[in-house]
Amino acid sequence: DTAVSQTPKYLVTQMGNDKSIKCEQNLGHDTMYWYKQDSKKFLKIMFSYNNKELIINETVPNRFSPKSPDKAHLNLHINSLELGDSAVYFCASSFRQGASNEQFFGPGTRLTVL
Amino acid sequence: DAKTTQPPSMDCAEGRAANLPCNHSTISGNEYVYWYRQIHSQGPQYIIHGLKNNETNEMASLIITEDRKSSTLILPHATLRDTAVYYCIVRSGGSQGNLIFGKGTKLSVKP
């Protein structure tokens, strides 16, 4: 009965590869997010989707492409992986956008690029 | 969104109340105060939020000063499992939803 789930939990890959991280929420939320937490533990928003439409796209390289097949899923595809992409990626969801709505986070995907 | 200032670390004895301060002196009238925590190797966890009034839920209490320039998160009976990094975040009412995390306060609960 996990609220926000991510797969895989760990991902180890070589530079230049293409990989995807999947996220699913069963809370019936309208909005989903991707965050990146780097080695210094800073947690930053990458993308926000509301009802399958991109709302926020912070300064993220276009090698990162989110895909939302439906309201419950927001996958993150990364092309041509670089060493600097190594981080923990967190998916989150909220009932809707706006400051009065708390976000629920998934367990994270630890990506290591060799 | 307004910025927040938190002490980098705090210690608390198990069973005692943990009081975590946060300064947000530039907060605007429509900005909410949010608290999240991140236990080691886990995703951030929502704790509580408020606008003007003090708030309490099953996890914690949030005390917001009358001028709203600072707040305190209170964990009434801290346990070892409350050891985590606690983030105080201010979000505007018109925000598109993104949370801006700072460095937070590393709370260590000790036996």
Side-chain angles (χ1 to χ4, degrees):
Chain A
D1 60 346
T2 304
V4 182
S5 58
Q6 296 179 228
T7 54
K9 187 169 175 61
Y10 300 96
L11 183 55
V12 181
T13 188
Q14 300 285 334
M15 277 176 55
N17 285 349
D18 303 337
K19 291 292 179 184
S20 292
I21 306 172
K22 295 184 177 181
C23 177
E24 177 181 2
Q25 54 92 6
N26 62 5
L27 298 166
H29 286 166
D30 287 337
T31 308
M32 296 185 72
Y33 314 83
W34 276 108
Y35 287 83
K36 177 181 179 181
Q37 188 167 39
D38 60 24
S39 58
K40 295 182 179 179
K41 303 296 184 183
F42 288 114
L43 193 61
K44 293 183 180 179
I45 182 76
M46 298 175 70
F47 301 101
S48 167
Y49 264 73
N50 187 54
N51 275 322
K52 302 195 303 173
E53 291 188 17
L54 179 65
I55 303 299
I56 294 173
N57 181 357
E58 296 293 321
T59 51
V60 176
N62 57 14
R63 298 182 294 105
F64 290 78
S65 52
K67 296 276 193 302
S68 183
D70 54 60
K71 220 170 64 166
H73 296 84
L74 182 62
N75 303 323
L76 184 64
H77 188 76
I78 315 170
N79 289 326
S80 303
L81 278 155
E82 300 176 358
L83 293 177
D85 298 332
S86 295
V88 182
Y89 293 84
F90 290 100
C91 177
S93 72
S94 65
F95 181 51
R96 55 171 64 95
Q97 294 175 263
S100 62
N101 294 279
E102 61 265 34
Q103 294 182 16
F104 296 84
F105 284 77
T109 295
R110 182 174 292 276
L111 171 65
T112 302
V113 182
L114 303 175
Chain B
D1 291 335
K3 292 184 178 177
T4 62
T5 305
Q6 299 177 253
S9 64
M10 290 182 63
D11 290 343
C12 178
E14 189 178 19
R16 304 297 291 268
N19 297 289
L20 292 94
C22 179
N23 285 327
H24 30 79
S25 58
T26 59
I27 194 169
S28 301
N30 67 345
E31 290 182 319
Y32 289 77
V33 180
Y34 267 79
W35 284 85
Y36 280 78
R37 72 180 182 184
Q38 188 172 23
I39 296 170
H40 181 62
S41 297
Q42 297 183 20
Q45 178 188 23
Y46 165 79
I47 301 173
I48 199 167
H49 75 282
L51 183 60
K52 295 180 181 178
N53 300 320
N54 298 337
E55 301 288 345
T56 296
N57 63 20
E58 64 278 4
M59 288 182 67
S61 294
L62 174 60
I63 309 298
I64 303 174
T65 58
E66 193 168 343
D67 63 8
R68 304 211 319 124
K69 292 185 177 183
S70 66
S71 60
T72 301
L73 178 74
I74 301 173
L75 307 179
H77 305 286
T79 70
L80 298 179
R81 287 177 295 180
D82 292 322
T83 293
V85 178
Y86 287 77
Y87 297 98
C88 171
I89 300 166
V90 173
R91 297 167 70 194
S92 68
S95 165
Q96 293 183 330
N98 52 317
L99 294 167
I100 301 175
F101 287 82
K103 297 181 180 180
T105 295
K106 169 76 168 136
L107 175 68
S108 299
V109 181
K110 305 193 173 182

Coordinates of all heavy atoms in Angstrom, one line a residue, chain A residues 11-59:
Chain A
L11 N 20.6 2.2 -9.1 CA 20.9 2.1 -10.5 C 22.4 2.4 -10.7 O 22.8 3.6 -10.4 CB 20.0 3.0 -11.3 CG 20.1 3.1 -12.8 CD1 19.8 1.7 -13.4 CD2 19.0 4.0 -13.4
V12 N 23.1 1.5 -11.2 CA 24.5 1.7 -11.5 C 24.7 1.5 -13.0 O 24.3 0.5 -13.5 CB 25.4 0.7 -10.7 CG1 26.9 1.0 -11.0 CG2 25.2 0.8 -9.2
T13 N 25.4 2.5 -13.6 CA 25.5 2.4 -15.1 C 26.7 3.1 -15.6 O 27.4 3.9 -14.8 CB 24.2 3.0 -15.7 OG1 24.3 2.8 -17.2 CG2 24.1 4.5 -15.5
Q14 N 27.1 3.0 -16.8 CA 28.2 3.6 -17.4 C 27.9 4.9 -18.0 O 26.8 5.2 -18.4 CB 28.8 2.7 -18.5 CG 29.3 1.3 -18.0 CD 30.6 1.4 -17.2 OE1 31.4 2.3 -17.4 NE2 30.7 0.4 -16.3
M15 N 28.9 5.8 -18.1 CA 28.7 7.1 -18.8 C 28.3 6.8 -20.2 O 28.7 5.8 -20.9 CB 30.1 7.8 -18.8 CG 30.4 8.6 -17.6 SD 32.1 9.3 -17.8 CE 31.9 10.2 -19.3
G16 N 27.4 7.7 -20.7 CA 26.9 7.6 -22.1 C 25.7 6.8 -22.2 O 25.0 6.9 -23.3
N17 N 25.3 6.0 -21.2 CA 24.1 5.1 -21.3 C 22.9 6.0 -21.2 O 22.9 7.1 -20.7 CB 24.2 4.0 -20.3 CG 25.1 2.9 -20.7 OD1 25.6 2.9 -21.8 ND2 25.4 2.0 -19.7
D18 N 21.7 5.4 -21.6 CA 20.4 6.0 -21.4 C 19.7 5.1 -20.4 O 19.7 3.9 -20.5 CB 19.6 6.0 -22.7 CG 20.3 6.7 -23.8 OD1 21.2 7.6 -23.5 OD2 20.0 6.5 -25.0
K19 N 19.1 5.8 -19.4 CA 18.3 5.0 -18.4 C 17.0 5.7 -18.0 O 16.9 6.9 -18.2 CB 19.2 4.9 -17.1 CG 20.4 4.0 -17.2 CD 20.0 2.5 -17.4 CE 21.2 1.6 -17.6 NZ 20.8 0.2 -17.9
S20 N 16.1 4.9 -17.4 CA 14.8 5.5 -16.9 C 14.6 5.1 -15.5 O 15.0 4.1 -15.0 CB 13.7 5.0 -17.8 OG 13.8 5.5 -19.1
I21 N 13.9 6.0 -14.8 CA 13.5 5.8 -13.4 C 11.9 6.0 -13.5 O 11.4 6.9 -14.0 CB 14.1 6.8 -12.4 CG1 15.6 6.8 -12.5 CG2 13.6 6.5 -11.0 CD1 16.2 7.9 -11.7
K22 N 11.3 5.0 -12.8 CA 9.8 5.1 -12.8 C 9.3 5.5 -11.5 O 9.8 5.2 -10.4 CB 9.2 3.7 -13.2 CG 9.6 3.2 -14.6 CD 8.9 1.9 -15.0 CE 9.3 1.6 -16.4 NZ 8.6 0.3 -16.8
C23 N 8.1 6.2 -11.5 CA 7.5 6.7 -10.3 C 6.0 6.5 -10.5 O 5.4 6.8 -11.5 CB 7.8 8.1 -10.0 SG 6.9 8.8 -8.6
E24 N 5.4 6.0 -9.4 CA 3.9 5.8 -9.4 C 3.4 6.2 -8.0 O 4.0 6.0 -7.0 CB 3.6 4.3 -9.6 CG 2.1 4.0 -9.5 CD 1.8 2.5 -9.7 OE1 2.7 1.7 -9.9 OE2 0.6 2.2 -9.7
Q25 N 2.2 6.9 -8.1 CA 1.6 7.2 -6.8 C 0.1 6.7 -6.9 O -0.6 6.8 -7.9 CB 1.6 8.7 -6.6 CG 1.1 9.6 -7.7 CD -0.3 10.0 -7.6 OE1 -1.0 9.7 -6.6 NE2 -0.8 10.8 -8.6
N26 N -0.3 6.2 -5.7 CA -1.7 5.6 -5.6 C -2.5 6.5 -4.7 O -3.5 6.0 -4.1 CB -1.6 4.2 -5.2 CG -1.0 4.0 -3.8 OD1 -0.7 5.0 -3.1 ND2 -0.9 2.8 -3.4
L27 N -2.2 7.8 -4.6 CA -2.9 8.7 -3.7 C -4.0 9.5 -4.4 O -4.7 10.3 -3.8 CB -1.9 9.7 -3.1 CG -0.9 9.0 -2.2 CD1 0.3 10.0 -1.9 CD2 -1.5 8.5 -0.9
G28 N -4.1 9.3 -5.7 CA -5.1 10.1 -6.5 C -4.7 11.5 -6.7 O -5.6 12.4 -6.9
H29 N -3.4 11.8 -6.5 CA -3.0 13.2 -6.6 C -2.9 13.7 -8.1 O -2.8 12.9 -9.0 CB -1.6 13.3 -6.0 CG -1.6 13.3 -4.5 ND1 -0.5 13.1 -3.8 CD2 -2.6 13.4 -3.6 CE1 -0.8 13.1 -2.5 NE2 -2.1 13.3 -2.4
D30 N -3.1 15.0 -8.2 CA -3.0 15.6 -9.6 C -1.6 16.0 -10.0 O -1.3 16.1 -11.2 CB -3.9 16.9 -9.6 CG -5.4 16.5 -9.6 OD1 -5.7 15.4 -10.0 OD2 -6.2 17.4 -9.2
T31 N -0.7 16.3 -9.0 CA 0.6 16.8 -9.3 C 1.7 15.9 -8.9 O 1.6 15.4 -7.8 CB 0.7 18.2 -8.6 OG1 -0.4 19.0 -9.0 CG2 2.0 18.9 -9.1
M32 N 2.7 15.8 -9.7 CA 3.9 15.0 -9.4 C 5.1 15.8 -9.7 O 5.1 16.7 -10.5 CB 3.8 13.7 -10.2 CG 2.6 12.8 -9.8 SD 2.6 11.2 -10.6 CE 4.0 10.4 -9.8
Y33 N 6.2 15.4 -9.0 CA 7.5 16.1 -9.1 C 8.7 15.2 -9.2 O 8.6 14.0 -8.7 CB 7.6 17.0 -7.8 CG 6.4 17.8 -7.4 CD1 5.4 17.2 -6.6 CD2 6.3 19.1 -7.7 CE1 4.3 17.9 -6.2 CE2 5.2 19.9 -7.3 CZ 4.2 19.2 -6.6 OH 3.1 20.0 -6.1
W34 N 9.8 15.7 -9.7 CA 11.1 15.0 -9.6 C 12.0 16.0 -8.9 O 12.1 17.2 -9.3 CB 11.6 14.6 -10.9 CG 11.1 13.3 -11.4 CD1 10.2 13.1 -12.4 CD2 11.4 12.0 -10.9 NE1 10.0 11.8 -12.6 CE2 10.7 11.1 -11.6 CE3 12.3 11.6 -9.9 CZ2 10.8 9.7 -11.4 CZ3 12.4 10.2 -9.6 CH2 11.6 9.3 -10.4
Y35 N 12.7 15.5 -7.9 CA 13.8 16.2 -7.2 C 15.1 15.5 -7.3 O 15.1 14.3 -7.4 CB 13.5 16.4 -5.7 CG 12.3 17.3 -5.3 CD1 11.0 16.9 -5.4 CD2 12.6 18.6 -4.9 CE1 10.0 17.7 -5.1 CE2 11.5 19.5 -4.6 CZ 10.2 19.0 -4.7 OH 9.2 19.9 -4.3
K36 N 16.2 16.2 -7.2 CA 17.5 15.7 -7.3 C 18.2 16.1 -6.0 O 18.2 17.2 -5.6 CB 18.3 16.2 -8.5 CG 19.8 15.7 -8.5 CD 20.5 16.2 -9.8 CE 21.9 15.8 -9.8 NZ 22.6 16.3 -11.0
Q37 N 18.9 15.1 -5.3 CA 19.7 15.3 -4.1 C 21.1 14.9 -4.4 O 21.4 13.8 -4.6 CB 19.1 14.6 -2.9 CG 19.8 15.0 -1.6 CD 19.1 14.5 -0.4 OE1 18.6 13.4 -0.3 NE2 19.1 15.4 0.7
D38 N 22.0 15.9 -4.4 CA 23.4 15.7 -4.8 C 24.2 15.2 -3.6 O 23.6 15.0 -2.5 CB 24.0 16.9 -5.5 CG 24.0 18.1 -4.5 OD1 24.0 17.9 -3.3 OD2 24.0 19.2 -5.0
S39 N 25.5 15.0 -3.9 CA 26.3 14.4 -2.8 C 26.5 15.3 -1.6 O 26.8 14.9 -0.5 CB 27.7 14.2 -3.4 OG 28.3 15.4 -3.9
K40 N 26.2 16.6 -1.8 CA 26.2 17.6 -0.7 C 24.9 17.6 0.1 O 24.7 18.5 0.9 CB 26.7 19.0 -1.1 CG 28.1 19.0 -1.7 CD 28.5 20.4 -2.1 CE 29.9 20.4 -2.6 NZ 30.3 21.8 -3.0
K41 N 24.0 16.8 -0.3 CA 22.7 16.7 0.3 C 21.7 17.8 0.0 O 20.7 17.9 0.7 CB 22.8 16.5 1.8 CG 23.7 15.3 2.2 CD 23.1 14.0 1.8 CE 23.9 12.8 2.3 NZ 23.4 11.5 1.8
F42 N 22.0 18.7 -1.0 CA 21.1 19.7 -1.4 C 20.0 19.0 -2.2 O 20.3 18.3 -3.2 CB 21.7 20.8 -2.1 CG 22.6 21.7 -1.3 CD1 24.0 21.7 -1.4 CD2 22.0 22.4 -0.3 CE1 24.8 22.5 -0.6 CE2 22.8 23.2 0.6 CZ 24.2 23.2 0.4
L43 N 18.7 19.3 -1.9 CA 17.6 18.8 -2.5 C 16.9 19.8 -3.4 O 16.5 20.9 -2.9 CB 16.6 18.3 -1.5 CG 15.5 17.3 -1.9 CD1 16.0 16.1 -2.5 CD2 14.6 17.0 -0.7
K44 N 16.9 19.6 -4.7 CA 16.4 20.6 -5.7 C 15.3 20.1 -6.6 O 15.4 19.0 -7.1 CB 17.5 21.2 -6.5 CG 18.6 21.9 -5.7 CD 19.6 22.5 -6.6 CE 20.7 23.3 -5.8 NZ 21.7 23.8 -6.7
I45 N 14.3 20.9 -6.8 CA 13.2 20.5 -7.7 C 13.8 20.5 -9.2 O 14.6 21.3 -9.5 CB 12.1 21.5 -7.7 CG1 10.9 21.2 -8.6 CG2 12.5 23.0 -8.0 CD1 10.1 20.0 -8.1
M46 N 13.3 19.5 -9.9 CA 13.7 19.4 -11.3 C 12.5 19.7 -12.2 O 12.5 20.5 -13.1 CB 14.2 18.0 -11.7 CG 15.5 17.6 -10.9 SD 15.9 15.9 -11.2 CE 16.5 16.0 -12.9
F47 N 11.4 18.9 -12.0 CA 10.2 19.1 -12.8 C 9.0 19.0 -11.9 O 9.0 18.4 -10.9 CB 10.1 17.9 -13.8 CG 11.3 17.8 -14.8 CD1 12.3 16.9 -14.6 CD2 11.3 18.6 -15.9 CE1 13.4 16.8 -15.4 CE2 12.4 18.5 -16.8 CZ 13.4 17.6 -16.5
S48 N 7.9 19.6 -12.5 CA 6.6 19.4 -11.8 C 5.6 19.2 -12.9 O 5.6 19.9 -14.0 CB 6.3 20.7 -11.1 OG 4.9 20.7 -10.7
Y49 N 4.7 18.2 -12.7 CA 3.7 17.9 -13.7 C 2.3 18.0 -13.0 O 2.1 17.5 -11.9 CB 3.8 16.5 -14.2 CG 4.5 16.4 -15.6 CD1 5.9 16.6 -15.6 CD2 3.9 16.1 -16.7 CE1 6.6 16.5 -16.8 CE2 4.5 16.0 -17.9 CZ 5.9 16.3 -18.0 OH 6.6 16.2 -19.2
N50 N 1.4 18.7 -13.7 CA 0.0 18.7 -13.1 C -0.9 18.2 -14.2 O -1.0 18.7 -15.3 CB -0.4 20.2 -12.8 CG -1.7 20.3 -12.1 OD1 -1.9 19.6 -11.1 ND2 -2.6 21.0 -12.7
N51 N -1.6 17.1 -13.8 CA -2.5 16.4 -14.8 C -1.8 16.1 -16.1 O -2.4 16.4 -17.2 CB -3.8 17.3 -15.0 CG -4.8 17.0 -14.0 OD1 -5.0 15.9 -13.5 ND2 -5.5 18.1 -13.6
K52 N -0.7 15.6 -16.1 CA 0.1 15.1 -17.2 C 0.7 16.3 -18.0 O 1.3 16.1 -19.0 CB -0.7 14.2 -18.2 CG -1.3 13.0 -17.5 CD -1.7 12.0 -18.6 CE -2.7 12.5 -19.5 NZ -3.1 11.6 -20.6
E53 N 0.6 17.5 -17.5 CA 1.2 18.6 -18.2 C 2.4 19.2 -17.4 O 2.3 19.4 -16.2 CB 0.2 19.7 -18.5 CG -0.9 19.3 -19.5 CD -1.8 20.4 -19.9 OE1 -1.5 21.6 -19.6 OE2 -2.9 20.2 -20.4
L54 N 3.5 19.5 -18.1 CA 4.6 20.1 -17.5 C 4.3 21.5 -17.0 O 3.9 22.3 -17.7 CB 5.8 20.1 -18.5 CG 7.1 20.7 -18.0 CD1 7.7 19.8 -16.9 CD2 8.1 20.9 -19.1
I55 N 4.6 21.7 -15.7 CA 4.4 23.0 -15.1 C 5.7 23.7 -14.8 O 5.9 24.9 -15.1 CB 3.6 22.9 -13.8 CG1 2.3 22.2 -14.1 CG2 3.4 24.3 -13.2 CD1 1.4 22.9 -15.1
I56 N 6.6 23.0 -14.2 CA 7.9 23.5 -13.8 C 9.0 22.8 -14.5 O 9.0 21.5 -14.5 CB 8.2 23.5 -12.3 CG1 7.2 24.4 -11.6 CG2 9.6 23.9 -12.0 CD1 7.3 24.2 -10.1
N57 N 10.0 23.5 -15.1 CA 11.2 22.8 -15.6 C 12.3 23.7 -15.2 O 12.6 24.7 -15.9 CB 11.1 22.7 -17.1 CG 12.3 22.0 -17.7 OD1 13.2 21.6 -17.0 ND2 12.3 21.8 -19.0
E58 N 12.9 23.4 -14.1 CA 14.0 24.2 -13.6 C 15.2 24.0 -14.6 O 15.1 23.2 -15.6 CB 14.4 23.8 -12.2 CG 13.3 24.1 -11.2 CD 13.1 25.5 -11.0 OE1 14.1 26.3 -11.0 OE2 11.9 25.9 -10.9
T59 N 16.3 24.7 -14.4 CA 17.4 24.6 -15.3 C 18.0 23.2 -15.3 O 19.0 23.0 -14.6 CB 18.5 25.7 -14.9 OG1 18.8 25.5 -13.5 CG2 18.0 27.1 -15.2

